[in-house]
Amino acid sequence: GSVAGGGWDELSFPFEHFDFYQSFVAVHGKSRTWDETPFYQRVLGDIRAGKAKWGCRSRDQLDQRLVHLQELFESIGRFGFVPNHSDDQIRVDIGRDGDLLFADGRHRLTFAKIHRLDRIPIAIGIRHRLWANFKRQIVRYAMRNRGQVYAPILHPDLDSIRAQHGHKRFELIRQNLISRGGRMLDIGCHWGYFCHQFELLGYQCTGVEASSQNFYFLKKLRRASRRSFEIAKISIFEFAEAENREYDVVLALSIFHHFVKTESGLANLKRLLSGLNAREIFFMPHMTSEPQMIHAYWNPGESEFINFILDNSCFVEAALIGHEDDGRPLYRLNR
């Protein structure tokens, strides 16, 4: 696609307001026949005024076109969405904040929506200059970090960027959840991957991230995917003092070892755990051989860290639920 600045990306109205979408939904639901729909009357009026529509110059040709579209709709329902390189492909533009803006292919997009397809192939037409600049920032960040970001980015224009961690951690957690909905807290949420995923599961999510750089990307990516989870640029210790909430799920993935590098950090972690009111916590410990832990105040082993959490929190049981691809274990601790 091309890149362009300006105000062309201003949001106007939802795709579902197009008369073809509304008319096809009505015909599909058998509440109207085609000739009773606003779409049909508009197109037929254009044809009678001498304007050709999809090569149609008569009512009979229009009716045949609608028969073809019905066949396409049924084919998508049976066989899924088959990519093509014709003028009928779905094309979107991307606005300054990452909004996917419909540009072309309303028939196929209508059918995909009615069939509730999770993913469809699209062609990108125009990217807003501000979005293109943001994408370049992420690419440059990845280049400084061995060509990858920390966790997958779920926006469709960014999900091809390689990530250090894949989806395995999330899938392990999802498969071992005791709760089914409620509040989720991600301690050290980085760019918000787990908040994005848990919001899709129906949770009310809060991500706490103290790093200014990470928070910048976290905020921009939340907006780009139009998510509504809460974010806080603050240390988890300050957050816990200000917010006395009960959580169903807490995530502490490769984060607690950063606190035990100093005596004061260890004391803060004890206080955090003692005041944590949650149903379950998913914990990923560090590797004791990591260079950053060589001069740490405390460098506990896996079982030692698990027992420390159990001794200083409301949790009474720990279970190993799997391993990350790099061999790092993942635990669920619950009441």
Side-chain angles (χ1 to χ4, degrees):
S2 59
V3 174
W8 57 267
D9 63 328
E10 294 178 3
L11 301 179
S12 52
F13 61 94
F15 177 85
E16 288 78 7
H17 287 190
F18 279 116
D19 63 357
F20 178 81
Y21 177 86
Q22 294 178 341
S23 297
F24 196 92
V25 168
V27 172
H28 177 66
K30 298 187 175 8
S31 62
R32 290 187 182 184
T33 59
W34 270 117
D35 57 0
E36 296 173 326
T37 64
F39 168 78
Y40 189 93
Q41 294 300 325
R42 175 177 63 81
V43 175
L44 183 60
D46 288 343
I47 290 174
R48 286 172 173 169
K51 301 176 183 177
K53 291 290 185 178
W54 312 303
C56 301
R57 296 185 178 276
S58 69
R59 181 168 187 159
D60 286 344
Q61 290 176 336
L62 173 60
D63 291 340
Q64 285 300 312
R65 171 67 175 176
L66 293 174
V67 169
H68 168 72
L69 291 178
Q70 180 65 35
E71 292 171 349
L72 176 61
F73 172 76
E74 293 171 359
S75 174
I76 289 175
R78 288 196 303 269
F79 306 114
F81 207 105
V82 180
N84 69 84
H85 301 286
S86 71
D87 291 337
D88 286 333
Q89 69 181 342
I90 297 171
R91 183 170 64 84
V92 302
D93 300 329
I94 303 182
R96 69 191 67 194
D97 294 315
D99 293 307
L100 302 181
L101 308 175
F102 170 77
D104 197 14
R106 71 187 64 188
H107 300 154
R108 291 174 182 271
L109 184 53
T110 292
F111 304 156
K113 283 180 173 288
I114 294 175
H115 283 304
R116 299 182 181 276
L117 301 183
D118 291 331
R119 296 174 68 87
I120 58 174
I122 61 172
I124 294 176
I126 304 172
R127 291 178 178 86
H128 195 281
R129 182 170 290 113
L130 295 178
W131 173 255
N133 290 341
F134 176 63
K135 184 173 182 177
R136 280 193 290 270
Q137 290 175 359
I138 293 180
V139 171
R140 286 196 294 266
Y141 176 96
M143 291 174 64
R144 294 192 300 268
N145 292 273
R146 295 175 294 180
Q148 57 191 9
V149 294
Y150 180 71
I153 303 177
L154 302 180
H155 190 282
D157 195 35
L158 302 171
D159 63 0
S160 62
I161 298 174
R162 291 196 306 117
Q164 176 185 345
H165 296 280
H167 300 287
K168 186 174 183 179
R169 291 185 303 171
F170 170 71
E171 288 303 321
L172 284 171
I173 292 170
R174 184 183 62 81
Q175 294 163 13
N176 288 276
L177 285 167
I178 296 174
S179 62
R180 289 292 182 264
R183 288 187 176 274
M184 188 278 277
L185 171 67
D186 188 0
I187 301 174
C189 67
H190 200 70
W191 292 6
Y193 167 79
F194 286 97
C195 288
H196 284 256
Q197 294 283 38
F198 269 82
E199 184 171 319
L200 292 175
L201 293 179
Y203 285 79
Q204 293 177 276
C205 304
T206 301
V208 178
E209 178 54 57
S211 163
S212 296
Q213 182 186 56
N214 287 340
F215 192 82
Y216 168 78
F217 289 108
L218 166 65
K219 188 174 182 180
K220 297 277 280 188
L221 291 172
R222 180 186 64 167
R223 170 61 185 85
S225 294
R226 303 184 71 82
R227 298 287 181 257
S228 59
F229 57 83
E230 296 180 0
I231 53 177
K233 185 186 175 299
I234 192 173
S235 80
I236 186 58
F237 308 121
E238 294 175 285
F239 179 83
E241 289 180 3
E243 301 285 347
N244 184 22
R245 298 181 184 176
E246 181 177 354
Y247 296 96
D248 295 276
V249 179
V250 174
L251 304 183
L253 307 178
S254 303
I255 184 67
F256 280 173
H257 66 285
H258 292 293
F259 306 144
V260 302
K261 294 176 183 178
T262 64
E263 183 177 8
S264 61
L266 177 60
N268 286 334
L269 179 57
K270 282 185 179 181
R271 283 194 294 272
L272 172 67
L273 291 171
S274 65
L276 194 59
N277 186 3
R279 188 176 182 185
E280 57 185 327
I281 183 171
F282 291 87
F283 170 67
M284 179 169 278
H286 66 293
M287 298 293 189
T288 56
S289 59
E290 294 178 20
Q292 62 175 313
M293 300 301 293
I294 291 176
H295 300 294
Y297 177 76
W298 187 45
N299 188 11
E302 186 177 317
S303 59
E304 189 178 6
F305 217 152
I306 292 290
N307 289 331
F308 170 80
I309 297 173
L310 293 175
D311 290 342
N312 289 278
S313 69
C314 63
F315 307 112
V316 298
E317 185 179 26
L320 176 66
I321 63 171
H323 290 82
E324 173 63 295
D325 290 333
D326 63 2
R328 190 169 301 191
L330 179 59
Y331 288 87
R332 184 193 67 214
L333 287 72
N334 55 273
R335 289 180 173 179

